[in-house]
């Protein structure tokens, strides 16, 4: 009994028989092991056993496709194509793809919502332009990686125990989860709606200007050295219910690539860019790599304050290519490259935390907008100080509170992630920022001033009513020389008195009723 009642088989695995021949006598073939593992993982996700079928006869690649297989294809819900050099040279395998595609177009379409009924598993690298046309618009699940030292492909191997290939199991889990999601979508469609489904999906495709409900994230294509990290991020985002773009291969010429990326970015609220050691592929008619072009277009998209982006590099990154060194220098030093972005060189776990912070920023912005819409609500002043200055900053906090302001100070306890999350939340919700520059040193002040420049990258869209630095005791030559155009400088080098703060108070009072 199939899980998808409208079909006689849930899944058909299309493959070239030579790819199931084991290099070791007595060992199961790659396809046999893949079939079994996929079936078990899908059963675990679905809570039921799907019908997964493949042809196990010993037909050779130049024979005509069996009529019995052709007759079964219209009644199969999902096709899994295992792409290899032999697969694309097999008339039989290509016929299976073509016939499934043709029948699928006649019975509801190949695409269901934003998902394809064909899944492309790339076991062995094949040039993209050699893939069957029916598979070229589909993202593949690559069961191999390129050796960074030799450039040679290393296929993922089915094994278990202490020597298990974690890359194989991670990629299989990606594939199984995506098939599971498609099957849940297909199960939700009653049979009576099947005839209308194709028309509805075509109308939805024509109205692509309207993004689907929920939050969409653009996870930029990366170079192969970061493919594992990108897969990990994509997997976790999809499991949390986010839609991740691009959902099809990017074109390899400049004009088409720019159009495709721009459209995906337009539909997204956040973009994430992973930058590694290699410059990557350069499309036709372009001087920039795919990675660089995606970042350039995302920087343009960042002019919209509702959009933000994260650029991430792994710690200890070693770059040998001159072009990539230039690109990374540009990201670090050019203000245009950093506009609307947060640049990280941290662990992958820190990147995940930052992404979650960005995704929660939208709800924080809504809360801030609702609060600021109330003219009678007190203005919120974020008084940033170091832990060693907390007591000395007390009179400043007391005075502002007495003037009718809600004063927020940083969290001083908890783990680093909690402190950082609280700090970012305060930066997003406050009406004004006052940095207390006391015993903390210059590096601390520089970090806090940098936060002021990163507000848009953190997701803030509403302008601050005031930004100021309160220069307090002890007096030092560095403090005497301190000046900035990015904030108001308030000097109170000796015992606290309220006079220096009164212009700031007047400025905030004047904004009541103006927003």
């Amino acid at each position: 009994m199939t899980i998808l009642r409208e079909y006689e088989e849930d899944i058909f695995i299309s493959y070239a028989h030579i790819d199931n021949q084991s290099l070791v006598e007595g060992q199961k073939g790659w396809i046999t092991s893949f079939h079994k593992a996929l079936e078990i993982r899908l059963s675990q996700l679905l809570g039921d056993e799907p019908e997964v079928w493949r042809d196990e006869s010993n037909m050779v690649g130049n024979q005509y496709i069996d009529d019995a297989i052709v007759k079964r294809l219209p009644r199969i819900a999902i096709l899994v194509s295992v792409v290899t050099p032999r697969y694309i040279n097999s008339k039989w395998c290509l016929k299976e793809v073509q016939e499934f595609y043709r029948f699928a177009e006649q019975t509801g379409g190949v695409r269901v919502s934003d998902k394809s009924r064909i899944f492309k598993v790339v076991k062995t690298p094949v040039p993209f332009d050699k893939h069957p046309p029916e598979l070229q618009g589909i993202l593949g699940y690559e069961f191999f990686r390129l050796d960074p030292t030799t450039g040679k492909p290393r296929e993922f191997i089915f094994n278990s125990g202490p020597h298990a290939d974690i890359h194989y199991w991670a990629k299989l889990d990606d594939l199984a989860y995506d098939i599971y999601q498609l099957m849940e979508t297909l199960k939700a469609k009653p049979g009576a709606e099947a005839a209308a489904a194709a028309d509805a999906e075509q109308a939805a495709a024509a109205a692509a200007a309207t993004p689907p409900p929920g939050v969409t994230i653009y996870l930029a294509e990366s170079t192969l050295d970061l493919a594992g990290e990108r897969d990990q991020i994509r997997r976790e985002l999809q499991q949390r219910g986010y839609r991740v773009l691009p959902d099809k291969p990017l074109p390899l010429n400049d004009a088409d690539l720019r159009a495709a990326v721009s459209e995906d970015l337009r539909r997204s609220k956040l973009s994430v860019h992973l930058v590694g050691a290699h410059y990557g592929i350069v499309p036709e008619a372009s001087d920039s790599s795919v990675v660089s072009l995606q970042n350039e277009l995302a920087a343009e998209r960042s002019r919209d304050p509702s959009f933000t982006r994260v650029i991430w590099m792994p710690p200890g990154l070693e770059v040998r290519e001159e072009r990539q060194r230039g690109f990374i220098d540009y990201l670090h030093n050019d203000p245009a490259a950093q506009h609307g972005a947060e640049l990280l060189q941290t662990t992958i776990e820190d990147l995940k935390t930052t992404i979650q912070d960005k995704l929660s920023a939208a709800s924080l912005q809504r809360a801030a907008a609702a609060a600021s819409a109330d003219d009678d609500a007190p203005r919120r002043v974020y008084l940033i100080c170091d832990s060693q200055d907390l007591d000395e900053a007390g009179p400043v906090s007391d005075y502002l509170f007495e003037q009718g302001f809600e004063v927020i100070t940083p969290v001083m306890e908890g783990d680093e992630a909690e402190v950082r999350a609280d700090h970012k939340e305060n930066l997003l919700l406050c009406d004004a920022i006052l940095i207390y520059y006391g015993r903390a040193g210059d590096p601390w002040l520089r970090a806090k001033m940098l936060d002021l420049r990163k507000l848009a990258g953190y997701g803030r869209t509403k302008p601050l009513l005031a930004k100021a630095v309160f220069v307090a005791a002890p007096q030092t030559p560095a403090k005497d020389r301190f000046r900035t155009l990015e904030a108001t400088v308030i000097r109170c080098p000796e015992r606290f008195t309220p006079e220096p703060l009164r212009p700031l108070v007047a400025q905030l009072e004047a904004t009541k009723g103006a927003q």
Side-chain angles (χ1 to χ4, degrees), residues 190-413:
E193 296 179 358
D199 293 338
E201 284 160 17
Q202 288 174 3
T210 304
V215 176
T216 299
I217 299 162
Y218 187 86
L219 179 58
E221 293 284 2
S222 65
T223 48
L224 283 173
D225 56 316
L226 294 181
E229 288 83 351
R230 183 179 182 276
D231 280 346
Q232 188 179 351
I233 296 294
R234 179 182 57 80
R235 184 183 311 125
E236 294 189 13
L237 288 172
Q238 289 178 328
Q239 289 173 355
R240 289 190 177 100
Y242 297 106
R243 182 177 182 189
V244 180
L245 298 176
D247 58 359
K248 57 180 68 68
L250 293 178
L252 290 180
N253 66 79
D254 185 86
D256 290 346
L257 184 142
R258 285 177 179 273
V261 172
S262 295
E263 174 59 21
D264 283 350
L265 286 169
R266 187 191 62 78
R267 301 163 70 186
S268 305
K269 292 295 183 185
L270 167 71
S271 68
V272 180
H273 304 258
L274 279 59
V275 178
H278 303 291
Y279 192 64
I281 296 171
V282 176
E284 290 181 14
S286 176
D287 296 325
S288 301
S289 70
V290 170
V291 172
S292 175
L293 283 170
Q294 290 174 104
N295 181 71
E296 173 192 329
L297 294 167
E300 293 177 6
R301 174 77 170 92
S302 294
R303 294 171 185 167
D304 180 350
S306 68
F307 177 85
T308 187
R309 61 195 173 108
V310 179
I311 304 170
W312 177 83
M313 303 174 200
L317 181 65
E318 294 184 7
V319 180
R320 295 174 184 164
E321 298 178 38
E322 188 62 35
R323 288 187 301 177
Q324 186 66 351
R325 275 198 295 269
F327 177 54
I328 290 175
D329 287 345
Y330 163 72
L331 292 177
H332 276 297
N333 300 312
D334 194 300
Q338 297 176 8
H339 177 70
E342 184 169 359
L343 180 62
L344 304 173
Q345 192 156 7
T346 60
T347 66
I348 192 72
E349 295 305 319
D350 283 343
L351 171 60
K352 294 177 188 177
T353 300
T354 299
I355 292 171
Q356 285 305 113
D357 288 347
K358 299 288 186 187
L359 294 172
S360 64
S363 59
L364 293 172
Q365 286 295 318
R366 286 192 294 270
S372 63
D374 182 0
D375 291 336
D376 295 327
R379 295 288 183 255
R380 294 174 301 278
V381 179
Y382 184 25
L383 178 57
I384 303 175
C385 62
D386 190 63
S387 58
Q388 60 186 317
D389 290 317
L390 192 58
D391 290 339
E392 285 76 4
V396 176
S397 176
D398 293 343
Y399 173 73
L400 291 172
F401 183 78
E402 290 165 2
Q403 304 309 305
F405 299 104
E406 192 71 36
V407 182
I408 305 165
T409 54
V411 167
M412 299 297 180
E413 297 180 356

